[in-house]
Tab-separated table of all heavy atoms in Angstrom:
chain	number	residue	atom	x	y	z
A	126	ASP	N	-57.594	-11.420	17.411
A	126	ASP	CA	-57.307	-11.792	18.783
A	126	ASP	C	-58.487	-12.055	19.682
A	126	ASP	O	-58.335	-12.052	20.923
A	126	ASP	CB	-56.368	-10.870	19.386
A	126	ASP	CG	-56.839	-9.469	19.461
A	126	ASP	OD1	-58.044	-9.165	18.964
A	126	ASP	OD2	-56.119	-8.497	19.915
A	127	GLY	N	-59.659	-12.092	19.086
A	127	GLY	CA	-60.772	-12.560	19.840
A	127	GLY	C	-61.790	-11.573	20.421
A	127	GLY	O	-62.670	-11.863	21.166
A	128	ASN	N	-61.565	-10.285	20.073
A	128	ASN	CA	-62.400	-9.276	20.520
A	128	ASN	C	-63.589	-8.970	19.597
A	128	ASN	O	-63.443	-9.029	18.377
A	128	ASN	CB	-61.686	-7.987	20.703
A	128	ASN	CG	-60.612	-8.056	21.792
A	128	ASN	OD1	-60.883	-8.569	22.847
A	128	ASN	ND2	-59.339	-7.661	21.463
A	129	THR	N	-64.755	-8.892	20.244
A	129	THR	CA	-65.917	-8.523	19.413
A	129	THR	C	-66.551	-7.172	19.709
A	129	THR	O	-66.335	-6.573	20.773
A	129	THR	CB	-67.136	-9.555	19.638
A	129	THR	OG1	-67.363	-9.622	21.071
A	129	THR	CG2	-66.713	-10.910	19.276
A	130	ASN	N	-67.208	-6.681	18.637
A	130	ASN	CA	-67.749	-5.221	18.813
A	130	ASN	C	-69.174	-5.340	18.163
A	130	ASN	O	-69.184	-5.975	17.073
A	130	ASN	CB	-66.846	-4.298	18.311
A	130	ASN	CG	-67.360	-2.902	18.378
A	130	ASN	OD1	-67.694	-2.373	19.427
A	130	ASN	ND2	-67.493	-2.199	17.288
A	131	TYR	N	-70.106	-4.674	18.721
A	131	TYR	CA	-71.425	-4.627	18.136
A	131	TYR	C	-71.948	-3.188	18.004
A	131	TYR	O	-71.713	-2.437	18.982
A	131	TYR	CB	-72.441	-5.516	19.009
A	131	TYR	CG	-72.095	-6.906	19.023
A	131	TYR	CD1	-71.290	-7.432	20.050
A	131	TYR	CD2	-72.625	-7.730	18.095
A	131	TYR	CE1	-70.999	-8.789	20.080
A	131	TYR	CE2	-72.331	-9.137	18.093
A	131	TYR	CZ	-71.533	-9.584	19.133
A	131	TYR	OH	-71.227	-10.944	19.158
A	132	ALA	N	-72.757	-2.949	17.056
A	132	ALA	CA	-73.568	-1.676	17.081
A	132	ALA	C	-74.457	-1.728	18.173
A	132	ALA	O	-75.060	-2.776	18.534
A	132	ALA	CB	-74.264	-1.605	15.678
A	133	SER	N	-74.754	-0.529	18.685
A	133	SER	CA	-75.647	-0.462	19.840
A	133	SER	C	-77.118	-1.000	19.443
A	133	SER	O	-77.803	-1.574	20.382
A	133	SER	CB	-75.767	1.011	20.420
A	133	SER	OG	-76.156	1.822	19.467
A	134	SER	N	-77.451	-0.853	18.253
A	134	SER	CA	-78.782	-1.224	17.862
A	134	SER	C	-78.975	-2.691	17.763
A	134	SER	O	-80.153	-3.174	17.766
A	134	SER	CB	-79.082	-0.608	16.423
A	134	SER	OG	-78.236	-1.131	15.480
A	135	VAL	N	-77.902	-3.499	17.788
A	135	VAL	CA	-78.103	-4.891	17.754
A	135	VAL	C	-77.569	-5.690	18.851
A	135	VAL	O	-77.706	-6.900	19.093
A	135	VAL	CB	-77.386	-5.520	16.398
A	135	VAL	CG1	-77.847	-4.820	15.134
A	135	VAL	CG2	-75.848	-5.479	16.563
A	136	LYS	N	-76.976	-4.908	19.865
A	136	LYS	CA	-76.316	-5.572	21.008
A	136	LYS	C	-77.366	-6.284	21.850
A	136	LYS	O	-78.414	-5.823	22.040
A	136	LYS	CB	-75.645	-4.466	21.855
A	136	LYS	CG	-74.511	-4.990	22.752
A	136	LYS	CD	-73.832	-3.863	23.452
A	136	LYS	CE	-72.972	-3.089	22.377
A	136	LYS	NZ	-72.116	-2.044	22.983
A	137	GLY	N	-76.968	-7.502	22.104
A	137	GLY	CA	-78.003	-8.427	22.870
A	137	GLY	C	-78.909	-9.185	21.990
A	137	GLY	O	-79.566	-10.139	22.485
A	138	ARG	N	-78.981	-8.879	20.700
A	138	ARG	CA	-79.800	-9.609	19.857
A	138	ARG	C	-79.045	-10.423	18.721
A	138	ARG	O	-79.441	-11.444	18.288
A	138	ARG	CB	-80.819	-8.711	19.012
A	138	ARG	CG	-81.727	-7.867	19.949
A	138	ARG	CD	-82.724	-7.071	19.144
A	138	ARG	NE	-82.117	-6.108	18.254
A	138	ARG	CZ	-82.213	-6.030	16.917
A	138	ARG	NH1	-82.961	-6.930	16.280
A	138	ARG	NH2	-81.731	-5.109	16.177
A	139	PHE	N	-77.803	-9.828	18.432
A	139	PHE	CA	-77.018	-10.493	17.375
A	139	PHE	C	-75.729	-11.028	17.960
A	139	PHE	O	-75.176	-10.407	18.952
A	139	PHE	CB	-76.610	-9.443	16.324
A	139	PHE	CG	-77.740	-9.008	15.353
A	139	PHE	CD1	-79.073	-9.292	15.690
A	139	PHE	CD2	-77.475	-8.268	14.297
A	139	PHE	CE1	-80.023	-8.870	14.830
A	139	PHE	CE2	-78.379	-7.803	13.397
A	139	PHE	CZ	-79.734	-8.124	13.680
A	140	THR	N	-75.250	-12.093	17.441
A	140	THR	CA	-73.899	-12.631	17.898
A	140	THR	C	-73.116	-13.024	16.704
A	140	THR	O	-73.476	-13.647	15.766
A	140	THR	CB	-74.195	-13.970	18.721
A	140	THR	OG1	-75.023	-13.622	19.859
A	140	THR	CG2	-72.891	-14.459	19.258
A	141	ILE	N	-71.837	-12.493	16.749
A	141	ILE	CA	-70.921	-12.853	15.682
A	141	ILE	C	-69.997	-13.907	16.152
A	141	ILE	O	-69.584	-14.004	17.408
A	141	ILE	CB	-70.104	-11.612	15.297
A	141	ILE	CG1	-69.237	-11.915	13.998
A	141	ILE	CG2	-69.197	-11.076	16.379
A	141	ILE	CD1	-68.577	-10.771	13.323
A	142	SER	N	-69.642	-14.829	15.337
A	142	SER	CA	-68.676	-15.929	15.712
A	142	SER	C	-67.846	-16.249	14.420
A	142	SER	O	-68.201	-15.898	13.281
A	142	SER	CB	-69.455	-17.158	16.173
A	142	SER	OG	-70.352	-17.602	15.220
A	143	ARG	N	-66.799	-17.012	14.816
A	143	ARG	CA	-65.901	-17.348	13.624
A	143	ARG	C	-65.201	-18.596	13.936
A	143	ARG	O	-64.924	-18.962	15.068
A	143	ARG	CB	-64.782	-16.271	13.349
A	143	ARG	CG	-63.806	-16.019	14.442
A	143	ARG	CD	-62.945	-14.868	14.293
A	143	ARG	NE	-61.982	-15.038	13.143
A	143	ARG	CZ	-61.235	-14.048	12.604
A	143	ARG	NH1	-61.400	-12.824	12.987
A	143	ARG	NH2	-60.431	-14.363	11.569
A	144	ASP	N	-64.863	-19.322	12.884
A	144	ASP	CA	-64.057	-20.541	12.998
A	144	ASP	C	-62.943	-20.438	12.038
A	144	ASP	O	-63.087	-20.527	10.732
A	144	ASP	CB	-64.894	-21.775	12.681
A	144	ASP	CG	-64.186	-23.009	12.775
A	144	ASP	OD1	-63.037	-23.101	12.772
A	144	ASP	OD2	-64.891	-24.053	12.934
A	145	ASN	N	-61.722	-20.258	12.596
A	145	ASN	CA	-60.533	-20.040	11.685
A	145	ASN	C	-60.152	-21.265	10.898
A	145	ASN	O	-59.697	-21.093	9.759
A	145	ASN	CB	-59.283	-19.529	12.545
A	145	ASN	CG	-59.497	-18.174	13.098
A	145	ASN	OD1	-60.268	-17.425	12.577
A	145	ASN	ND2	-58.866	-17.946	14.179
A	146	ALA	N	-60.462	-22.502	11.465
A	146	ALA	CA	-60.190	-23.645	10.683
A	146	ALA	C	-61.031	-23.788	9.509
A	146	ALA	O	-60.621	-24.462	8.467
A	146	ALA	CB	-60.298	-24.891	11.554
A	147	ARG	N	-62.179	-23.251	9.426
A	147	ARG	CA	-63.168	-23.401	8.370
A	147	ARG	C	-63.200	-22.063	7.570
A	147	ARG	O	-64.049	-21.960	6.632
A	147	ARG	CB	-64.514	-23.716	8.884
A	147	ARG	CG	-64.580	-25.066	9.592
A	147	ARG	CD	-65.880	-25.251	10.325
A	147	ARG	NE	-67.003	-25.244	9.436
A	147	ARG	CZ	-68.329	-25.387	9.856
A	147	ARG	NH1	-68.626	-25.634	11.156
A	147	ARG	NH2	-69.286	-25.383	8.948
A	148	SER	N	-62.385	-21.049	8.040
A	148	SER	CA	-62.381	-19.718	7.278
A	148	SER	C	-63.846	-19.251	7.141
A	148	SER	O	-64.207	-18.787	5.984
A	148	SER	CB	-61.677	-19.922	5.863
A	148	SER	OG	-60.364	-20.244	6.070
A	149	THR	N	-64.593	-19.307	8.201
A	149	THR	CA	-65.952	-18.919	8.138
A	149	THR	C	-66.374	-18.014	9.289
A	149	THR	O	-65.864	-18.260	10.342
A	149	THR	CB	-66.912	-20.138	8.132
A	149	THR	OG1	-66.520	-20.925	6.952
A	149	THR	CG2	-68.359	-19.762	8.026
A	150	VAL	N	-67.205	-17.025	9.047
A	150	VAL	CA	-67.755	-16.179	10.091
A	150	VAL	C	-69.232	-16.152	9.986
A	150	VAL	O	-69.872	-16.289	8.859
A	150	VAL	CB	-67.207	-14.683	9.972
A	150	VAL	CG1	-67.552	-14.166	8.705
A	150	VAL	CG2	-67.599	-13.883	11.173
A	151	TRP	N	-69.953	-16.203	11.137
A	151	TRP	CA	-71.366	-16.209	11.061
A	151	TRP	C	-71.900	-14.997	11.851
A	151	TRP	O	-71.257	-14.378	12.638
A	151	TRP	CB	-71.840	-17.432	11.798
A	151	TRP	CG	-71.531	-18.787	11.200
A	151	TRP	CD1	-72.177	-19.413	10.305
A	151	TRP	CD2	-70.372	-19.550	11.488
A	151	TRP	NE1	-71.578	-20.609	9.946
A	151	TRP	CE2	-70.447	-20.679	10.649
A	151	TRP	CE3	-69.306	-19.449	12.427
A	151	TRP	CZ2	-69.465	-21.740	10.753
A	151	TRP	CZ3	-68.320	-20.413	12.403
A	151	TRP	CH2	-68.364	-21.602	11.589
A	152	LEU	N	-73.184	-14.714	11.610
A	152	LEU	CA	-73.851	-13.688	12.322
A	152	LEU	C	-75.244	-14.240	12.673
A	152	LEU	O	-76.058	-14.465	11.826
A	152	LEU	CB	-74.172	-12.424	11.519
A	152	LEU	CG	-74.744	-11.238	12.304
A	152	LEU	CD1	-73.837	-10.745	13.431
A	152	LEU	CD2	-75.129	-10.069	11.309
A	153	GLN	N	-75.501	-14.614	13.977
A	153	GLN	CA	-76.731	-15.060	14.433
A	153	GLN	C	-77.604	-13.824	14.832
A	153	GLN	O	-77.215	-13.044	15.655
A	153	GLN	CB	-76.488	-16.070	15.733
A	153	GLN	CG	-77.845	-16.499	16.244
A	153	GLN	CD	-78.565	-17.429	15.365
A	153	GLN	OE1	-77.965	-18.312	14.791
A	153	GLN	NE2	-79.812	-17.278	15.214
A	154	MET	N	-78.673	-13.715	14.152
A	154	MET	CA	-79.598	-12.613	14.425
A	154	MET	C	-80.961	-13.058	15.011
A	154	MET	O	-81.622	-13.843	14.421
A	154	MET	CB	-79.917	-11.968	13.101
A	154	MET	CG	-78.596	-11.444	12.406
A	154	MET	SD	-78.932	-10.541	10.914
A	154	MET	CE	-79.638	-11.758	9.834
A	155	ASN	N	-81.113	-12.701	16.197
A	155	ASN	CA	-82.438	-13.016	16.972
A	155	ASN	C	-83.245	-11.712	17.193
A	155	ASN	O	-82.781	-10.692	17.115
A	155	ASN	CB	-82.076	-13.739	18.194
A	155	ASN	CG	-81.256	-14.979	18.102
A	155	ASN	OD1	-81.488	-15.706	17.095
A	155	ASN	ND2	-80.476	-15.279	18.997
A	156	SER	N	-84.489	-11.959	17.475
A	156	SER	CA	-85.499	-10.918	17.683
A	156	SER	C	-85.414	-9.858	16.688
A	156	SER	O	-85.282	-8.665	17.001
A	156	SER	CB	-85.065	-10.277	19.166
A	156	SER	OG	-85.272	-11.309	20.170
A	157	LEU	N	-85.502	-10.251	15.523
A	157	LEU	CA	-85.310	-9.335	14.372
A	157	LEU	C	-86.481	-8.357	14.282
A	157	LEU	O	-87.650	-8.643	14.643
A	157	LEU	CB	-85.288	-10.204	13.103
A	157	LEU	CG	-83.849	-10.737	12.833
A	157	LEU	CD1	-83.898	-11.847	11.753
A	157	LEU	CD2	-82.853	-9.708	12.277
A	158	LYS	N	-86.179	-7.185	13.976
A	158	LYS	CA	-87.006	-6.062	13.727
A	158	LYS	C	-87.087	-5.566	12.398
A	158	LYS	O	-86.127	-5.730	11.567
A	158	LYS	CB	-86.614	-4.909	14.633
A	158	LYS	CG	-86.430	-5.258	16.110
A	158	LYS	CD	-85.903	-4.048	16.936
A	158	LYS	CE	-85.525	-4.401	18.366
A	158	LYS	NZ	-84.958	-3.237	19.098
A	159	PRO	N	-88.238	-4.876	11.986
A	159	PRO	CA	-88.243	-4.347	10.595
A	159	PRO	C	-87.063	-3.544	10.222
A	159	PRO	O	-86.669	-3.406	9.088
A	159	PRO	CB	-89.644	-3.690	10.596
A	159	PRO	CG	-90.416	-4.285	11.597
A	159	PRO	CD	-89.459	-4.729	12.694
A	160	GLU	N	-86.616	-2.675	11.215
A	160	GLU	CA	-85.494	-1.886	10.947
A	160	GLU	C	-84.155	-2.579	10.670
A	160	GLU	O	-83.107	-1.918	10.390
A	160	GLU	CB	-85.342	-0.819	12.097
A	160	GLU	CG	-85.248	-1.413	13.410
A	160	GLU	CD	-86.646	-1.352	14.151
A	160	GLU	OE1	-87.637	-1.697	13.526
A	160	GLU	OE2	-86.629	-1.077	15.360
A	161	ASP	N	-84.158	-3.827	10.870
A	161	ASP	CA	-82.939	-4.604	10.532
A	161	ASP	C	-82.895	-4.995	9.112
A	161	ASP	O	-81.972	-5.589	8.519
A	161	ASP	CB	-82.897	-5.947	11.367
A	161	ASP	CG	-82.737	-5.733	12.798
A	161	ASP	OD1	-81.922	-4.822	13.193
A	161	ASP	OD2	-83.459	-6.407	13.691
A	162	THR	N	-83.922	-4.640	8.356
A	162	THR	CA	-84.004	-4.925	6.913
A	162	THR	C	-82.895	-4.169	6.150
A	162	THR	O	-82.762	-2.896	6.334
A	162	THR	CB	-85.446	-4.489	6.338
A	162	THR	OG1	-86.404	-5.372	6.911
A	162	THR	CG2	-85.351	-4.675	4.885
A	163	ALA	N	-82.130	-4.931	5.452
A	163	ALA	CA	-81.007	-4.328	4.759
A	163	ALA	C	-80.187	-5.427	3.834
A	163	ALA	O	-80.561	-6.548	4.066
A	163	ALA	CB	-79.923	-3.752	5.706
A	164	ILE	N	-79.250	-5.021	3.069
A	164	ILE	CA	-78.408	-5.898	2.641
A	164	ILE	C	-77.240	-6.099	3.551
A	164	ILE	O	-76.627	-5.029	3.998
A	164	ILE	CB	-77.891	-5.468	1.185
A	164	ILE	CG1	-79.025	-5.348	0.218
A	164	ILE	CG2	-76.847	-6.455	0.710
A	164	ILE	CD1	-78.686	-4.775	-1.116
A	165	TYR	N	-76.848	-7.258	3.919
A	165	TYR	CA	-75.776	-7.574	4.831
A	165	TYR	C	-74.485	-7.965	4.066
A	165	TYR	O	-74.565	-8.850	3.205
A	165	TYR	CB	-76.271	-8.593	5.879
A	165	TYR	CG	-77.225	-7.967	6.883
A	165	TYR	CD1	-78.466	-7.654	6.559
A	165	TYR	CD2	-76.738	-7.834	8.199
A	165	TYR	CE1	-79.370	-7.113	7.470
A	165	TYR	CE2	-77.627	-7.393	9.135
A	165	TYR	CZ	-78.835	-6.966	8.778
A	165	TYR	OH	-79.705	-6.453	9.723
A	166	TYR	N	-73.410	-7.343	4.411
A	166	TYR	CA	-72.142	-7.658	3.757
A	166	TYR	C	-71.136	-8.182	4.724
A	166	TYR	O	-70.983	-7.659	5.839
A	166	TYR	CB	-71.614	-6.373	3.160
A	166	TYR	CG	-72.412	-5.661	1.990
A	166	TYR	CD1	-73.437	-4.802	2.369
A	166	TYR	CD2	-72.195	-6.112	0.753
A	166	TYR	CE1	-74.226	-4.135	1.357
A	166	TYR	CE2	-73.046	-5.521	-0.370
A	166	TYR	CZ	-74.033	-4.533	-0.009
A	166	TYR	OH	-74.718	-4.045	-0.978
A	167	CYS	N	-70.429	-9.173	4.197
A	167	CYS	CA	-69.216	-9.626	5.035
A	167	CYS	C	-68.037	-8.845	4.562
A	167	CYS	O	-67.830	-8.410	3.475
A	167	CYS	CB	-69.074	-11.162	4.660
A	167	CYS	SG	-67.672	-11.937	5.447
A	168	ASN	N	-67.143	-8.609	5.550
A	168	ASN	CA	-65.963	-7.829	5.286
A	168	ASN	C	-64.778	-8.505	5.990
A	168	ASN	O	-64.839	-8.947	7.178
A	168	ASN	CB	-66.101	-6.439	5.864
A	168	ASN	CG	-64.883	-5.539	5.817
A	168	ASN	OD1	-64.145	-5.477	6.690
A	168	ASN	ND2	-64.774	-4.945	4.596
A	169	ALA	N	-63.709	-8.512	5.280
A	169	ALA	CA	-62.380	-9.000	5.874
A	169	ALA	C	-61.457	-7.799	5.832
A	169	ALA	O	-61.147	-7.286	4.883
A	169	ALA	CB	-61.842	-10.164	5.021
């Protein structure tokens, strides 16, 4: 229903978006820091 939620550590730097017609979700990550290093997983 269009609500977004972010971890405090990424708020203001990362943006999540989705396109239901394309069944796709994105994560735009800006101002990346070494502590952002990880394996990133998509979840439905």
Side-chain angles (χ1 to χ4, degrees):
D126 57 359
N128 294 311
T129 57
N130 181 51
Y131 295 91
S133 57
S134 59
V135 308
K136 201 169 293 184
R138 300 188 297 123
F139 291 10
T140 302
I141 188 171
S142 58
R143 66 188 290 169
D144 184 335
N145 290 337
R147 297 169 64 182
S148 297
T149 301
V150 61
W151 296 272
L152 184 68
Q153 177 67 44
M154 305 185 293
N155 298 328
S156 302
L157 282 160
K158 304 175 181 180
E160 51 263 42
D161 295 317
T162 295
I164 300 174
Y165 284 70
Y166 296 92
C167 179
N168 175 267

